[in-house]
Amino acid sequence: MALNSLKPISLCILVTFFSFATSKAKGADFLYRFCSDDRSSGNGTYPMNLRTRLSSLSSKASDKRFDVEPVPATNSSDTVYGLFMCRGDVLPQACKDCVANATQTLSSDTNCSLAKWGVIWYEECMVRYSNDSFFSTVDTSPAFFKWNLANISSNSTSSFMTSLDATMMETANQAAKSSNRYSTRQENLSGFQTLYCLAQYELYPFYRVSDAQIGLVPETKYAHTDSEYSEDPGYISYNCSNNKADAAFQSNLRTLLSDMSSNGTSQNGFQTLEKTAYGLFRCRDDITLGLCGQCIQNATDKIASLCGLASTEAVIWYNHCWLRYSDRDFFSSADTSPRFWDLNISNTNPIQSSVASELSNKLDEVATKTGNSNTKYQTESLRLNDKQTVYILAQCSSGLSTNSCVGCLSDVIGMAIPWGSLGSVGGRVLYPSCFLRFELFQFYNLVLTTANPPPPDSKPEKVLSCGYMSPEYAMFGQFSEKSDVYSFGVVVLEIISGKKNTSPHEPHRVADGLLNFVWRHWRDETALSILDPKLKEKYGGDVEVMRCIQMGLLCVQDSPDARPTMLTIVSYLSSHTIELPSPREPTFFLHQRMDPIVTHESSSGQAPNSSTPSSINEISISGFYPR
């Protein structure tokens, strides 16, 4: 049968059959197979990919009921899409044996091993493959039928067909409602005859059904919706293994956690090895480095506290990040357990089947895009109606291959989300190697909310306190926790250098001159020259001074996102084993670059030795405003 005469073969097969009670044959009972006339050359890439895919299906049949992972290729025509599905009542070992027989038969058959698509049926399982994606389509051919040819007397035909139709319909309905999409039913036709019926669907919806008057889709309700960035990383859950670590591993783990904590402020994904301890963290790509660093700091502290360094394996999830470690190399493996899910389950009032099918199709598309992306991170949206849009985010560990990432997310979609009993749209599933979230509100690519600057004609009361104005506050009126971090950094550098505020009317000039002075010596590797002479021989050593200077420069960096949080600063002060990142050059000559919005209320003047207008700020110190 030519490929172009067929629709793409469906991921789901509805197997409905009936028979009178018979003895069950042992082993995998072969039924039929089809392979296309469209074939590839024996030395091409496609046959090799096909053998790889069939082997992969066979190896996974021991612990899964189905599998849908593709084998990609540079040339799209050489990509192999494959699946297997075992009958719901088949035991794991029987499933494995059946799939092994099926893949062996397809591989050894000359026609099938070169064919661009094929399908094989057994009583216990089915296996199929194609060079076209068929995962989200419904197909009715090729088909195989088997029935009993015995005649039914005319007197009993009507009652038999009535019982047959009713039994098949009831079995199909029960399969659609069950969590594993599988159902069996039997009907007594007479004292010596019994009708047996079985129906099985794929484990997630794959087609859209027309629902009359859909209306608004129920939305999952939370105590609060994270519709804006929060300084709180948002702790979710954790898991520690029962395997106990020895003293050597615990020592390695301490170093590992410290290493991960120190790297959280410089990158959003990191994996490392400390002798026998493997560890990684991953922040959401839309999270700033500052928030990432805070999340990883919280994660390392909390996992050490919860697991006590005694477990050989652990994972902890936050809204902003997740972190894990183990005594085994897991960097390239797609681990699907332990897992956490937060979904609204309702067996009595699930969402509309058309919405579930459309959403699952979209999630499957996002999973593929995530695996194919360099960052293993993807966001998408799906418009359900005129008033509702679903926002989707998927992410994998950066060390996963394309296949492993797609496979991990496909497992989430097909195994972890109970589509038949999903009560509302909104929720998340978290694996150690990947996670998937979808909501009816946008929870990614958010804007950090800031306090509004005071109106131009208001002059706040002067209070003794610079603190010093950070560049973003002085120029644009943007205030956040990082503005306080900037002020803290200036104070630290003041203490170390002994330089004081000599111009109370222009605090930005003081910070400007001080930062210029400190940075110049840091750049020239003469940072110890800034030390206040009064402190000599009264401090803990050159290393401690250099660390404090470096910390101060980190706090006064131009970009708020580059500055550490106060929580991170506390960790710097309390632990000398944490390696500090290299600071970036702070803003200089701020008084020559003041924004017109800030200078509007002040009297204008000319800066000394400069033709650039500057202003005298009548506010000598920071005022307190609601944030």
Side-chain angles (χ1 to χ4, degrees):
M1 186 178 294
L3 179 62
N4 57 13
S5 66
L6 294 174
K7 297 179 181 179
I9 305 174
S10 164
L11 173 64
C12 162
I13 178 172
L14 170 61
V15 183
T16 304
F17 62 86
F18 56 93
S19 64
F20 296 103
T22 60
S23 61
K24 183 178 180 181
K26 295 182 179 180
D29 298 325
F30 171 76
L31 294 177
Y32 206 78
R33 69 175 176 268
F34 286 103
C35 294
S36 70
D37 295 329
D38 184 10
R39 299 190 178 96
S40 61
S41 62
N43 297 325
T45 303
Y46 185 81
M48 179 178 65
N49 289 348
L50 176 58
R51 288 192 294 271
T52 300
R53 188 67 191 107
L54 292 176
S55 176
S56 174
L57 292 175
S58 179
S59 65
K60 294 180 178 180
S62 60
D63 58 354
K64 291 186 177 182
R65 312 302 298 175
F66 77 102
D67 186 71
V68 296
E69 183 180 341
V71 172
T74 304
N75 188 339
S76 60
S77 63
D78 291 330
T79 299
V80 180
Y81 300 84
L83 73 82
F84 72 81
M85 185 170 68
C86 292
R87 215 171 62 203
D89 62 330
V90 173
L91 297 177
Q93 186 58 47
C95 175
K96 181 178 181 180
D97 293 341
C98 183
V99 175
N101 286 343
T103 54
Q104 176 61 31
T105 300
L106 292 173
S107 298
S108 59
D109 186 291
T110 304
N111 293 331
C112 292
S113 62
L114 299 177
K116 289 299 183 69
W117 63 263
V119 58
I120 186 169
W121 289 283
Y122 286 76
E123 288 282 1
E124 296 81 8
C125 71
M126 58 90 70
V127 172
R128 50 178 311 206
Y129 63 89
S130 175
N131 65 332
D132 288 328
S133 177
F134 51 80
F135 292 158
S136 300
T137 58
V138 180
D139 303 292
T140 57
S141 63
F144 171 74
F145 303 91
K146 182 179 181 180
W147 57 80
N148 193 329
L149 298 178
N151 292 326
I152 302 175
S153 65
S154 58
N155 294 335
S156 60
T157 298
S158 177
S159 60
F160 173 80
M161 294 306 297
T162 299
S163 298
L164 174 62
D165 289 344
T167 304
M168 291 181 65
M169 182 63 69
E170 179 63 24
T171 307
N173 289 338
Q174 290 299 322
K177 295 178 181 178
S178 66
S179 60
N180 60 0
R181 299 296 188 271
Y182 171 84
S183 178
T184 60
R185 189 173 177 83
Q186 64 186 57
E187 185 73 21
N188 292 327
L189 300 181
S190 65
F192 57 91
Q193 288 182 317
T194 301
L195 177 67
Y196 296 86
C197 190
L198 177 152
Q200 184 170 357
Y201 295 88
E202 186 43 86
L203 294 180
Y204 66 88
F206 54 90
Y207 58 89
R208 183 173 181 109
V209 181
S210 298
D211 285 334
Q213 303 297 325
I214 290 179
L216 294 180
V217 179
E219 179 179 2
T220 302
K221 300 299 182 182
Y222 301 98
H224 68 281
T225 57
D226 46 336
S227 56
E228 62 185 38
Y229 280 137
S230 171
E231 293 291 329
D232 182 0
Y235 167 73
I236 298 175
S237 184
Y238 82 100
N239 185 278
C240 303
S241 72
N242 294 324
N243 297 328
K244 300 304 180 182
D246 56 25
F249 178 80
Q250 294 186 42
S251 176
N252 296 334
L253 182 57
R254 283 193 191 90
T255 305
L256 180 79
L257 293 176
S258 176
D259 195 15
M260 288 197 287
S261 177
S262 62
N263 277 275
T265 58
S266 59
Q267 49 192 317
N268 66 359
F270 179 73
Q271 62 185 38
T272 185
L273 167 65
E274 178 60 32
K275 297 180 181 178
T276 59
Y278 299 80
L280 68 76
F281 69 75
R282 186 76 200 269
C283 293
R284 276 175 25 195
D285 280 10
D286 62 319
I287 295 297
T288 64
L289 287 179
L291 294 180
C292 178
Q294 181 173 336
C295 186
I296 301 306
Q297 178 66 52
N298 285 20
T300 53
D301 291 344
K302 197 173 188 71
I303 199 67
S305 173
L306 293 171
C307 299
L309 304 181
S311 298
T312 58
E313 196 160 5
V315 59
I316 186 167
W317 295 283
Y318 284 78
N319 188 34
H320 290 174
C321 69
W322 84 91
L323 178 147
R324 61 183 299 205
Y325 66 80
S326 176
D327 62 347
R328 63 181 176 88
D329 183 357
F330 59 84
F331 293 155
S332 60
S333 63
D335 295 328
T336 59
S337 64
R339 62 182 62 173
F340 172 88
W341 57 266
D342 184 8
L343 302 166
N344 179 23
I345 307 302
S346 174
N347 293 318
T348 59
N349 191 27
I351 62 174
Q352 299 93 328
S353 59
S354 60
V355 174
S357 64
E358 188 170 13
L359 177 57
S360 65
N361 287 339
K362 187 64 176 180
L363 295 182
D364 185 64
E365 175 187 326
V366 172
T368 301
K369 289 183 178 180
T370 305
N372 288 321
S373 67
N374 293 330
T375 60
K376 299 297 182 290
Y377 174 91
Q378 188 73 24
T379 59
E380 293 275 346
S381 62
L382 171 66
R383 188 176 178 85
L384 294 180
N385 49 56
D386 290 340
K387 296 183 179 180
Q388 291 179 305
T389 299
V390 182
Y391 297 90
I392 304 166
L393 186 152
Q395 189 170 19
C396 293
S397 299
S398 53
L400 293 187
S401 65
T402 295
N403 290 347
S404 296
C405 179
V406 174
C408 185
L409 293 170
S410 296
D411 194 276
V412 172
I413 300 167
M415 300 296 289
I417 302 177
W419 293 103
S421 54
L422 192 63
S424 58
V425 173
R428 71 183 101 198
V429 179
L430 310 174
Y431 283 1
S433 299
C434 66
F435 84 89
L436 181 67
R437 186 181 182 189
F438 55 96
E439 304 287 358
L440 283 174
F441 60 89
Q442 187 166 347
F443 59 92
Y444 53 80
N445 295 337
L446 309 176
V447 177
L448 181 64
T449 58
T450 58
N452 294 324
D457 58 349
S458 67
K459 294 188 177 181
E461 179 185 359
K462 298 179 181 180
V463 243
L464 293 178
S465 171
C466 158
Y468 299 93
M469 287 188 292
S470 60
E472 70 274 11
Y473 181 72
M475 298 176 69
F476 306 112
Q478 295 177 349
F479 191 86
S480 68
E481 180 202 8
K482 296 302 182 68
S483 302
D484 292 335
V485 171
Y486 181 91
S487 298
F488 176 80
V490 175
V491 172
V492 168
L493 296 177
E494 273 191 325
I495 294 173
I496 296 173
S497 66
K499 291 185 175 295
K500 296 185 178 181
N501 186 345
T502 57
S503 179
H505 292 288
E506 294 181 282
H508 49 276
R509 282 182 181 267
V510 177
D512 171 24
L514 176 62
L515 302 190
N516 195 355
F517 171 72
V518 175
W519 176 259
R520 186 170 62 251
H521 284 285
W522 175 267
R523 180 195 59 198
D524 297 340
E525 298 184 356
T526 58
L528 290 176
S529 300
I530 74 166
L531 184 63
D532 185 352
K534 296 179 181 179
L535 295 180
K536 288 186 176 180
E537 300 180 359
K538 295 182 180 180
Y539 61 93
D542 294 349
V543 174
E544 184 176 353
V545 172
M546 291 293 291
R547 188 175 179 84
C548 289
I549 295 173
Q550 185 175 0
M551 182 179 62
L553 288 173
L554 287 171
C555 293
V556 298
Q557 295 178 104
D558 190 15
S559 171
D561 291 341
R563 301 172 201 153
T565 63
M566 291 305 298
L567 183 64
T568 303
I569 294 170
V570 171
S571 69
Y572 291 163
L573 294 171
S574 61
S575 175
H576 291 274
T577 61
I578 299 178
E579 183 179 355
L580 275 61
S582 298
R584 303 173 186 172
E585 183 177 7
T587 300
F588 297 145
F589 306 111
L590 181 60
H591 59 282
Q592 295 183 7
R593 300 190 296 162
M594 290 294 289
D595 189 270
I597 296 177
V598 179
T599 63
H600 176 75
E601 64 176 76
S602 306
S603 59
S604 300
Q606 287 294 115
N609 302 322
S610 173
S611 60
T612 305
S614 64
S615 65
I616 298 177
N617 192 339
E618 295 181 356
I619 306 173
S620 61
I621 37 109
S622 300
F624 295 110
Y625 308 103
R627 299 184 185 176

